[in-house]
Amino acid sequence: MATQRFHTLDDVAEILNVSWSQAYAMVRRRELRAIQVGGRGQWRVEKDELERFIQQKYAEASGTLATEEPVRDDVDADSTR
């Protein structure tokens, strides 16, 4: 049996732990690349594209966190008052 190349939006929603409408919105905003197939225009997301999207979100999170002031574990919050 061949390995599947594409995910449905239901699959994407489950993998990302979001609703179907949130997955659809990411596709419509072109944050997540997808193609339409079939007469009813059902969306499909290539597995590699989903992985790229996830890695991009991790990179964005790292960039955001890097610009924020680091939280120090060795400082007692009460001692700074």
Side-chain angles (χ1 to χ4, degrees), residues 6-42:
F6 294 96
H7 290 299
T8 65
L9 286 187
D10 286 328
D11 296 337
V12 171
E14 184 176 336
I15 291 166
L16 296 177
N17 197 28
V18 299
S19 68
W20 181 92
S21 58
Q22 288 173 307
Y24 178 69
M26 287 185 269
V27 169
R28 296 299 293 171
R29 287 191 306 258
R30 295 187 173 125
E31 291 178 45
L32 178 59
R33 289 180 39 168
I35 61 171
Q36 281 187 299
V37 296
R40 302 184 86 188
Q42 296 180 19

Side-chain angles (χ1 to χ4, degrees), residues 20-62:
W20 181 92
S21 58
Q22 288 173 307
Y24 178 69
M26 287 185 269
V27 169
R28 296 299 293 171
R29 287 191 306 258
R30 295 187 173 125
E31 291 178 45
L32 178 59
R33 289 180 39 168
I35 61 171
Q36 281 187 299
V37 296
R40 302 184 86 188
Q42 296 180 19
W43 290 99
R44 296 293 184 265
V45 177
E46 196 167 9
K47 287 184 176 192
D48 291 343
E49 280 298 321
L50 181 58
E51 186 58 34
R52 181 201 56 78
F53 172 80
I54 292 168
Q55 293 304 318
Q56 178 183 345
K57 292 300 177 186
Y58 273 118
E60 288 173 10
S62 295

Side-chain angles (χ1 to χ4, degrees), residues 61-79:
S62 295
T64 300
L65 294 176
T67 61
E68 294 177 359
E69 186 174 319
V71 175
R72 293 182 48 195
D73 290 336
D74 62 333
V75 177
D76 184 12
D78 293 330
S79 67

